[in-house]
Amino acid sequence: MSSINFATREISCKVVYYGPGLSGKTTNLQVIHQKMPQDKRTDMVSLATEGDRTLFFDFLPLNLGDIKGFKTRFQLYTVPGQVYYNSTRKLVLRGVDGIVFVADSQRSRQAENIESLQNLRQNLQDYGMDLDDMPFVLQYNKRDMENVFTLDEMNAELNPRKVPFYPATAHNGKGVVTTLKTIAMLVIEKFNVKQGQLNKAVENANNTGVHDVSLTKEGISVSQQPKLSGNAAAPTSPFKMPSFAAKPPAAGAAPSAGSGSGLFQRGAAAASPFGRPRAAATVPRMPTFGRVVDKPSQEVSDDDIELRPYVPKKK
């Protein structure tokens, strides 16, 4: 499912690089990131493990071409290759617009290629999508290795639909950009085929807000993303952080020592032992050499944060 912003006239498309472990999916994204101009790329996020180079996904938005006046922003993902990460692979496939299957050309990896392709079809079916009805490109990587299949043998095993395929040697960049241009062109072409429905959706949306776009056999389905009102709660996330905010005291509970009681009570007038009501007092600031100064706020920039790779503990 793509995301379309009618106000800025931008369409975000999602392309996933799928395939068995260590077939060259992450290498493809690394080469693309290096070859793209700086104004056309963003930082690439990669999470690695001991068994595979990608645990979750690589994320690389790119600007490639227009769709009838709409700017396109491609988001490239890869998935982990191991079978026991299938839940993660399935999650990354959600809302995909185009798929590049990176196959290993070595004869010893034939079983892994077939198993990964079948797994791709099954995961798409679980989302109600059909691989035969979406932009799909095959890349036969590692052509420089010994004992590899011929292109005809690879097509006989993996390409019964005769979809576009490209031999590649990802580590030196051969075939990488061609594969990317082809899948991007197929995704844009599918949107352009539905141009009439897209124009009608633009009129109904009044050029405002961000909408989700689904390309189906019947046409283009557009649904507006919900907006948060002033009293609406923020969307929940499965990853919750503990809240350290102070909670108000329960009704009838006595104020504690740290709740602002006594002469330094906050918000309301504090009781005075001399019979005259005192004005509301605030917590005093710490004096420095006879003068009261405000403590400067310390802002943490991204340069102050050092990211270190995860190193598992040895048992």
Side-chain angles (χ1 to χ4, degrees), residues 128-134 190 193-194 197 214-221:
M129 295 184 290
D130 187 0
L131 182 61
D132 298 335
D133 190 44
M134 65 188 315
K190 187 165 186 178
V193 168
K194 309 293 184 179
Q197 292 89 343
S214 298
L215 289 176
T216 62
K217 295 181 179 180
E218 293 75 16
I220 291 183
S221 173

Short mmCIF file of all heavy atoms in Angstrom, two decimals, residues 128-134 190 193-194 197 214-221:
data_model
loop_
_atom_site.label_atom_id
_atom_site.label_comp_id
_atom_site.label_asym_id
_atom_site.label_seq_id
_atom_site.Cartn_x
_atom_site.Cartn_y
_atom_site.Cartn_z
N GLY A 128 -3.34 -11.31 1.19
CA GLY A 128 -4.31 -11.17 0.11
C GLY A 128 -3.72 -10.63 -1.17
O GLY A 128 -4.45 -10.09 -2.01
N MET A 129 -2.41 -10.76 -1.36
CA MET A 129 -1.74 -10.28 -2.57
C MET A 129 -1.23 -11.46 -3.39
O MET A 129 -0.96 -12.53 -2.85
CB MET A 129 -0.58 -9.35 -2.21
CG MET A 129 -1.01 -8.07 -1.53
SD MET A 129 0.38 -6.93 -1.21
CE MET A 129 1.27 -7.81 0.07
N ASP A 130 -1.13 -11.23 -4.70
CA ASP A 130 -0.68 -12.26 -5.63
C ASP A 130 0.60 -11.78 -6.30
O ASP A 130 0.64 -10.68 -6.87
CB ASP A 130 -1.76 -12.56 -6.66
CG ASP A 130 -1.40 -13.76 -7.54
OD1 ASP A 130 -0.32 -14.34 -7.34
OD2 ASP A 130 -2.22 -14.10 -8.42
N LEU A 131 1.65 -12.60 -6.25
CA LEU A 131 2.92 -12.23 -6.86
C LEU A 131 2.78 -12.05 -8.37
O LEU A 131 3.48 -11.23 -8.97
CB LEU A 131 3.98 -13.30 -6.56
CG LEU A 131 5.39 -13.04 -7.09
CD1 LEU A 131 5.97 -11.76 -6.50
CD2 LEU A 131 6.30 -14.23 -6.79
N ASP A 132 1.85 -12.79 -9.00
CA ASP A 132 1.66 -12.69 -10.45
C ASP A 132 0.95 -11.41 -10.85
O ASP A 132 0.84 -11.13 -12.05
CB ASP A 132 0.86 -13.89 -10.96
CG ASP A 132 1.60 -15.20 -10.72
OD1 ASP A 132 2.84 -15.16 -10.63
OD2 ASP A 132 0.94 -16.26 -10.63
N ASP A 133 0.46 -10.64 -9.88
CA ASP A 133 -0.31 -9.44 -10.20
C ASP A 133 0.38 -8.18 -9.69
O ASP A 133 -0.27 -7.17 -9.45
CB ASP A 133 -1.72 -9.55 -9.59
CG ASP A 133 -2.64 -8.44 -10.08
OD1 ASP A 133 -2.63 -8.15 -11.29
OD2 ASP A 133 -3.34 -7.83 -9.24
N MET A 134 1.69 -8.23 -9.52
CA MET A 134 2.40 -7.06 -9.02
C MET A 134 3.75 -6.95 -9.71
O MET A 134 4.27 -7.93 -10.25
CB MET A 134 2.58 -7.13 -7.49
CG MET A 134 3.46 -8.25 -7.00
SD MET A 134 3.41 -8.37 -5.19
CE MET A 134 3.55 -6.65 -4.72
N LYS A 190 2.51 0.87 -13.48
CA LYS A 190 1.24 0.37 -12.95
C LYS A 190 0.38 1.51 -12.42
O LYS A 190 -0.85 1.50 -12.56
CB LYS A 190 1.51 -0.65 -11.84
CG LYS A 190 0.23 -1.34 -11.37
CD LYS A 190 0.52 -2.58 -10.56
CE LYS A 190 -0.77 -3.32 -10.23
NZ LYS A 190 -0.54 -4.56 -9.46
N VAL A 193 -1.10 3.34 -15.49
CA VAL A 193 -2.21 2.61 -16.10
C VAL A 193 -3.53 2.97 -15.41
O VAL A 193 -4.58 3.05 -16.03
CB VAL A 193 -1.95 1.09 -16.03
CG1 VAL A 193 -3.21 0.30 -16.39
CG2 VAL A 193 -0.80 0.71 -16.95
N LYS A 194 -3.45 3.22 -14.12
CA LYS A 194 -4.64 3.57 -13.34
C LYS A 194 -4.81 5.08 -13.24
O LYS A 194 -5.38 5.59 -12.28
CB LYS A 194 -4.53 2.98 -11.93
CG LYS A 194 -4.21 1.49 -11.90
CD LYS A 194 -5.32 0.64 -12.46
CE LYS A 194 -5.00 -0.83 -12.32
NZ LYS A 194 -6.07 -1.70 -12.84
N GLN A 197 -8.38 6.60 -12.49
CA GLN A 197 -8.82 6.45 -11.11
C GLN A 197 -8.03 7.35 -10.17
O GLN A 197 -8.56 7.86 -9.19
CB GLN A 197 -8.67 4.99 -10.66
CG GLN A 197 -9.62 4.01 -11.35
CD GLN A 197 -9.04 3.47 -12.63
OE1 GLN A 197 -8.09 4.03 -13.18
NE2 GLN A 197 -9.62 2.39 -13.13
N SER A 214 -4.10 1.84 -2.51
CA SER A 214 -3.94 0.43 -2.80
C SER A 214 -4.25 0.19 -4.28
O SER A 214 -5.31 0.59 -4.77
CB SER A 214 -4.89 -0.42 -1.94
OG SER A 214 -4.60 -0.25 -0.57
N LEU A 215 -3.31 -0.45 -4.98
CA LEU A 215 -3.52 -0.82 -6.37
C LEU A 215 -4.12 -2.22 -6.42
O LEU A 215 -3.51 -3.19 -6.01
CB LEU A 215 -2.19 -0.78 -7.13
CG LEU A 215 -1.61 0.61 -7.39
CD1 LEU A 215 -0.24 0.47 -8.07
CD2 LEU A 215 -2.52 1.43 -8.26
N THR A 216 -5.34 -2.32 -6.92
CA THR A 216 -6.05 -3.59 -7.02
C THR A 216 -6.38 -3.86 -8.48
O THR A 216 -6.18 -3.03 -9.36
CB THR A 216 -7.33 -3.57 -6.17
OG1 THR A 216 -8.22 -2.55 -6.69
CG2 THR A 216 -7.02 -3.23 -4.72
N LYS A 217 -6.91 -5.05 -8.73
CA LYS A 217 -7.31 -5.39 -10.10
C LYS A 217 -8.44 -4.49 -10.58
O LYS A 217 -8.56 -4.20 -11.77
CB LYS A 217 -7.74 -6.85 -10.16
CG LYS A 217 -6.62 -7.84 -9.87
CD LYS A 217 -7.12 -9.26 -9.97
CE LYS A 217 -5.98 -10.25 -9.71
NZ LYS A 217 -6.44 -11.66 -9.81
N GLU A 218 -9.30 -4.04 -9.66
CA GLU A 218 -10.43 -3.19 -10.04
C GLU A 218 -10.02 -1.75 -10.27
O GLU A 218 -10.71 -1.00 -10.95
CB GLU A 218 -11.52 -3.25 -8.97
CG GLU A 218 -12.20 -4.60 -8.84
CD GLU A 218 -11.33 -5.62 -8.13
OE1 GLU A 218 -10.35 -5.21 -7.48
OE2 GLU A 218 -11.64 -6.83 -8.23
N GLY A 219 -8.92 -1.31 -9.68
CA GLY A 219 -8.49 0.08 -9.84
C GLY A 219 -7.68 0.53 -8.64
O GLY A 219 -6.98 -0.26 -8.01
N ILE A 220 -7.81 1.83 -8.32
CA ILE A 220 -7.08 2.42 -7.21
C ILE A 220 -8.04 2.66 -6.05
O ILE A 220 -9.08 3.29 -6.21
CB ILE A 220 -6.41 3.74 -7.63
CG1 ILE A 220 -5.27 3.46 -8.61
CG2 ILE A 220 -5.87 4.49 -6.43
CD1 ILE A 220 -4.50 4.67 -9.03
N SER A 221 -7.68 2.16 -4.89
CA SER A 221 -8.46 2.38 -3.68
C SER A 221 -7.73 3.38 -2.81
O SER A 221 -6.55 3.19 -2.49
CB SER A 221 -8.66 1.05 -2.93
OG SER A 221 -9.28 1.27 -1.68
#
